Amino acid sequence: MRKLNHALLAGALALACASCTAEKEANYQVIPLPQEVSLTQENPFKLNENVLIAYPENNALLQRNAEFLSEYIQQATNYAPKTKAIAAGEQVKNAIVLGLDPSIANKEGYVLTTTPEGISINGQTENGVFYGIQTLRKSIPAEAKGTTVLIPAGEIKDEPRFSYRGMHLDVGRHFFPKEFIKKYIDLLALHNMNTFHWHLTEDQGWRIEIKKYPKLTEIGSQRSRTVIGRNTQEYDNTPYGGFYTQEEAKEIVKYAQERYITVIPEVDLPGHMLAALAAYPEMGCTGGPYEVCPRWGVFEDVLCIGNDKTMQFLEDVMSEIIEIFPSEYVHIGGDEAPRTRWEKCPKCQARIKAEGLKADKNHTAEDRLQSYCMTRIEKFLNSKGRRIIGWDEILEGDVAPNATVMSWRGASGGIEAAQMGHDVIMTPNTYCYFDYYQTADTKDEPLGIGGYVPIEKVYSLDPTFDLNEEQKKHIIGAQANLWTEYITTTEHVEYMVLPRMAALAEVQWTQPEKKDFKDFTKRLARLMKFYQRDGFNYAKHVFDLKVDFTPDVAKKAVVVTLSTIDDAPIYYTLDGTEPTTASLKYTEPVSITETADFQAVVIRPEGKSKVVNKKISFNKATYCPIELTFQPSEKYKFGGAITLVDGMKGNDSYATGAWLGFVGGDVEAIIDLGQETEIKRVATNAIVDMSAWIMGSTGLVVSVSDDNKEFREVAVKDIPAETNIDKKGVENYEITFDPVKARYVKVVIKRSPALPKGHAGEGKAAYMFIDEIEVD
């Protein structure tokens, strides 16, 4: 696990407070940022061991809120203020008084008022008071042992932007104990979140006790082994499992309810059901045999929707789920359910015929079969007073009429659903998948699934995107998801969600016009002291050196811009040596116009940051005009064609912006060398990640021209198509030929026609990610 040394950490966190005296002062610059903070010139309120926390008599919820506040204050100061019930109209001095105010418009809104004599926290509901308590809690320094804390006089008026503010945790791939789930819920409360999406079933493990079907946990909660790394051919041959009893789940639900957090259970159907099929093979299309899956991915074996016993099974499971979980919503998944078994299954085909399910130009009959399944379960849950949430795949067919859509494959599914009048929760993977890496420099990071979602990207999310005002009303909130294929420990969970959870909290709570990332990072330094105090293993990338390499085509240069959140001194070199205080000091953007081995480091009194390095290699094509006849995917076009000739090769992560992603055609690039130039070599690179449906090239063709009209072919190279379905890495391709003079060079990089046999997407189109075309 990646850690910062204690001396450097202490210095970085000292950004929030310059002296011991400052640590005794509260500060309303918290996360999420309140909507309105108005300070007065009055003296502050003095919080010490003599302060009382008062609440209205006969209000058990506010009594519990008062007890929470006392506990929070004790964590910071070592003294726990006493709590007291007061009668209506009773006045108390030197107190924090909790109360209800029906004039507050938002049910989760609050008003926090501080005078020299006391503090009042009022909400329309007890929920709102709880969020006012969170603001006060985070205003107090995390470490103020035995001190008097000065709370600034003034008023805070606050309410959330979205009513649904969620975090997800997958316990199907890896199981986490009950006490950690409670700790995770505490983190949600700290970040003003009100929904815990608990992903309880998977191909790799069924984690919730269902009394009518005991084999689900007797068999389905245990896998015999687990694949090592990224779906290699190696296994650890160690049994793995775990599940929650219904009583344990109810205990967690109650724990969350006390903190105004709703637990939404997910039973993912009809796909991701191998653990259930291992327990009850008669519910699959083939009858098995099945096993609790030891690998990660998407698998053809799904529930048999043509089998009446299967549909009864689902209704029985849901009957017990709603007894455990009182939430209005139940998440029923609907994602990644291949149709291949249904196409050949007599029972499923009979169901399609009996229900009159028809294909059209957009959907197959099997797509309609999935919709039939989702709609039937929705009707069952509706009859029990519940509503469903499904992943955006439920739009593929006839979407269940009252379904709330959780949009994960980018935002497009959510936008479409909102336009159709469905409520939507935005969880786009490009902003909200916390199993993605949080830095582009992954060599020192714990294993992640891939991708790249830095904290800045999370913070930049606007869940309403480009919807009109009427459609925006259907965006009820946002959520981040943590899938745990590669996350085996609680420490790793904490590392992946913190501090990105803080960025998400501000997306969910704060109005977009008040968001400012630089200001957020300053407030984050204060919040990180809470993480540190409470022993969380949080990531510290926010203190790393921030580097931007920007092409300057006009000057044929790479412009390097460096920054830190605390303006600490930065030193750099161009020859590959590690920078010291004797090296060049960064004062303004650096323009690089020739091959260089760039390295930079922040040097604080407490020590050095991680060294940033980038090799920049100039060749005859670097920063020459380039045209692509076939454009990259909109999602992966990043900086455009110039990325292919910017002198900088991408690393092994396709989502960093250094690679261009193409699907459906060969890459054809025409490079203008500016004048007749002798060349004899062309090279390029492709990233291969078969688990992400990314394959390399199957050939290179080089042609040249003097006028950009008539081209003559000078070299061809065939490359065998990749057949290893587990392959991941960077492939280098090179083609040499007899020297030839030309101004224009056309390079065709042939794509792999389809994913190979044995791959989960066998026969389907693969992506090809290319970076850096070199011409020498």
Side-chain angles (χ1 to χ4, degrees), residues 429-683:
N429 56 348
T430 47
Y431 294 85
C432 294
Y433 267 39
F434 286 2
D435 52 334
Y436 287 15
Y437 287 110
Q438 21 196 345
T439 174
D441 184 9
T442 60
K443 65 179 183 296
D444 296 322
E445 291 294 292
L447 190 61
I449 200 167
Y452 175 46
V453 178
I455 191 170
E456 299 96 318
K457 188 67 179 289
V458 180
Y459 194 81
S460 70
L461 172 65
D462 181 355
T464 58
F465 288 89
D466 296 322
L467 295 170
N468 63 36
E469 291 306 311
E470 186 60 34
Q471 293 161 353
K472 284 179 181 180
K473 295 176 184 176
H474 288 291
I475 307 300
I476 63 173
Q479 172 179 293
N481 298 335
L482 187 68
W483 303 102
T484 60
E485 287 93 334
Y486 305 110
I487 300 175
T488 61
T489 68
T490 58
E491 293 80 10
H492 195 172
V493 170
E494 293 167 8
Y495 184 83
M496 299 305 274
V497 301
L498 298 176
R500 288 188 287 191
M501 190 185 283
L504 177 68
E506 203 133 297
V507 168
Q508 296 168 332
W509 186 278
T510 306
Q511 292 296 334
E513 63 271 15
K514 292 184 177 294
K515 287 169 57 188
D516 179 279
F517 183 72
K518 188 170 183 179
D519 177 68
F520 165 78
T521 58
K522 294 176 182 177
R523 290 180 282 118
L524 182 60
R526 296 187 72 250
L527 184 61
M528 281 179 158
K529 298 195 79 172
F530 286 79
Y531 300 162
Q532 183 185 21
R533 182 197 70 192
D534 296 337
F536 287 105
N537 181 41
Y538 60 98
K540 303 163 186 76
H541 304 100
V542 69
F543 296 114
D544 289 344
L545 177 60
K546 303 297 180 188
V547 187
D548 180 56
F549 296 95
T550 304
D552 185 331
V553 178
K555 296 181 179 178
K556 292 197 171 185
V558 179
V559 179
V560 185
T561 305
L562 308 174
S563 63
T564 64
I565 67 167
D566 56 346
D567 297 324
I570 303 168
Y571 299 88
Y572 69 94
T573 62
L574 299 172
D575 60 2
T577 58
E578 185 170 328
T580 68
T581 52
S583 304
L584 295 167
K585 187 175 182 179
Y586 177 82
T587 56
E588 60 184 5
V590 179
S591 184
I592 298 175
T593 56
E594 59 185 10
T595 295
D597 189 348
F598 179 85
Q599 297 210 19
V601 68
V602 182
I603 302 180
R604 299 181 174 96
E606 301 80 17
K608 290 184 177 182
S609 71
K610 182 177 67 174
V611 175
V612 169
N613 57 75
K614 172 73 76 173
K615 287 185 175 2
I616 300 168
S617 301
F618 280 68
N619 59 79
K620 293 179 179 179
T622 305
Y623 290 114
C624 289
I626 179 172
E627 294 182 3
L628 296 173
T629 55
F630 179 73
Q631 296 303 310
S633 163
E634 185 68 24
K635 187 176 179 181
Y636 297 113
K637 68 179 184 180
F638 298 115
I642 194 65
T643 305
L644 301 179
V645 289
D646 64 3
M648 297 176 286
K649 294 182 181 179
N651 64 6
D652 62 356
S653 176
Y654 63 86
T656 60
W659 300 86
L660 301 189
F662 299 83
V663 65
D666 297 335
V667 177
E668 183 176 296
I670 299 174
I671 302 168
D672 180 1
L673 300 178
Q675 60 185 11
E676 187 177 73
T677 306
E678 183 175 276
I679 61 171
K680 58 182 179 180
R681 172 184 172 272
V682 170

Side-chain angles (χ1 to χ4, degrees), residues 192-211:
N192 291 28
M193 296 181 184
N194 62 4
T195 307
F196 173 42
H197 173 179
W198 202 4
H199 187 85
L200 289 164
T201 67
E202 257 308 329
D203 293 308
Q204 297 80 17
W206 185 284
R207 306 295 179 208
I208 184 68
E209 177 190 25
I210 302 296
K211 293 180 178 178

Side-chain angles (χ1 to χ4, degrees), residues 211-523:
K211 293 180 178 178
K212 189 169 182 178
Y213 297 91
K215 291 181 182 178
L216 286 172
T217 46
E218 290 171 6
I219 295 172
S221 69
Q222 299 284 327
R223 58 180 181 259
S224 63
R225 65 202 190 283
T226 302
V227 68
I228 295 172
R230 297 181 186 277
N231 274 355
T232 66
Q233 298 303 317
E234 296 181 64
Y235 294 84
D236 62 13
N237 297 318
T238 302
Y240 183 92
F243 68 94
Y244 308 95
T245 67
Q246 292 195 5
E247 289 308 308
E248 287 174 326
K250 288 176 181 177
E251 181 183 333
I252 287 167
V253 167
K254 182 175 183 293
Y255 189 88
Q257 284 176 331
E258 290 172 347
R259 291 151 181 82
Y260 305 94
I261 292 169
T262 299
V263 180
I264 294 180
E266 181 182 358
V267 175
D268 199 353
L269 62 97
H272 289 287
M273 274 280 176
L274 275 171
L277 292 177
Y280 296 96
E282 65 272 18
M283 292 187 301
C285 291
T286 68
Y290 307 106
E291 69 169 334
V292 182
C293 194
R295 299 176 67 78
W296 321 121
V298 178
F299 304 97
E300 289 187 337
D301 286 304
V302 299
L303 292 177
C304 178
I305 306 306
N307 187 341
D308 288 334
K309 288 183 178 179
T310 300
M311 301 310 295
Q312 185 62 50
F313 162 79
L314 290 175
E315 291 183 1
D316 291 341
V317 167
M318 290 302 171
S319 292
E320 294 195 34
I321 287 291
I322 62 178
E323 287 300 314
I324 304 167
F325 299 95
S327 59
E328 176 187 7
Y329 288 108
V330 176
H331 201 305
I332 62 172
D335 64 315
E336 298 177 331
R339 319 304 200 218
T340 48
R341 294 289 190 240
W342 297 342
E343 291 168 0
K344 300 174 182 178
C345 174
K347 289 182 180 179
C348 289
Q349 290 302 311
R351 178 81 75 190
I352 287 171
K353 184 176 180 181
E355 297 294 332
L357 306 177
K358 305 291 186 182
D360 60 24
K361 64 179 181 179
N362 296 317
H363 302 104
T364 67
E366 289 74 27
D367 289 338
R368 305 287 188 203
L369 186 63
Q370 165 137 347
S371 297
Y372 163 83
C373 173
M374 307 306 280
T375 302
R376 182 163 164 177
I377 299 304
E378 179 182 34
K379 287 178 179 176
F380 175 80
L381 287 168
N382 289 166
S383 74
K384 305 293 185 181
R386 306 302 179 88
R387 300 172 62 190
I388 71 163
I389 299 174
W391 300 110
D392 57 56
E393 281 95 331
I394 67 174
L395 294 169
E396 297 170 359
D398 298 314
V399 63
N402 299 310
T404 295
V405 175
M406 189 166 274
S407 184
W408 74 275
R409 297 176 300 177
S412 58
I415 291 170
E416 179 186 351
Q419 291 168 342
M420 293 168 63
H422 289 274
D423 283 348
V424 174
I425 301 157
M426 283 293 189
T427 66
N429 56 348
T430 47
Y431 294 85
C432 294
Y433 267 39
F434 286 2
D435 52 334
Y436 287 15
Y437 287 110
Q438 21 196 345
T439 174
D441 184 9
T442 60
K443 65 179 183 296
D444 296 322
E445 291 294 292
L447 190 61
I449 200 167
Y452 175 46
V453 178
I455 191 170
E456 299 96 318
K457 188 67 179 289
V458 180
Y459 194 81
S460 70
L461 172 65
D462 181 355
T464 58
F465 288 89
D466 296 322
L467 295 170
N468 63 36
E469 291 306 311
E470 186 60 34
Q471 293 161 353
K472 284 179 181 180
K473 295 176 184 176
H474 288 291
I475 307 300
I476 63 173
Q479 172 179 293
N481 298 335
L482 187 68
W483 303 102
T484 60
E485 287 93 334
Y486 305 110
I487 300 175
T488 61
T489 68
T490 58
E491 293 80 10
H492 195 172
V493 170
E494 293 167 8
Y495 184 83
M496 299 305 274
V497 301
L498 298 176
R500 288 188 287 191
M501 190 185 283
L504 177 68
E506 203 133 297
V507 168
Q508 296 168 332
W509 186 278
T510 306
Q511 292 296 334
E513 63 271 15
K514 292 184 177 294
K515 287 169 57 188
D516 179 279
F517 183 72
K518 188 170 183 179
D519 177 68
F520 165 78
T521 58
K522 294 176 182 177
R523 290 180 282 118

Side-chain angles (χ1 to χ4, degrees), residues 53 436 641 757:
I53 301 175
Y436 287 15
K757 187 175 181 179

Side-chain angles (χ1 to χ4, degrees), residues 71-92:
E71 180 183 334
Y72 295 148
I73 291 171
Q74 184 179 34
Q75 290 170 351
T77 65
N78 271 358
Y79 51 79
K82 292 179 181 179
T83 63
K84 179 187 176 182
I86 57 174
E90 182 180 345
Q91 300 295 315
V92 287

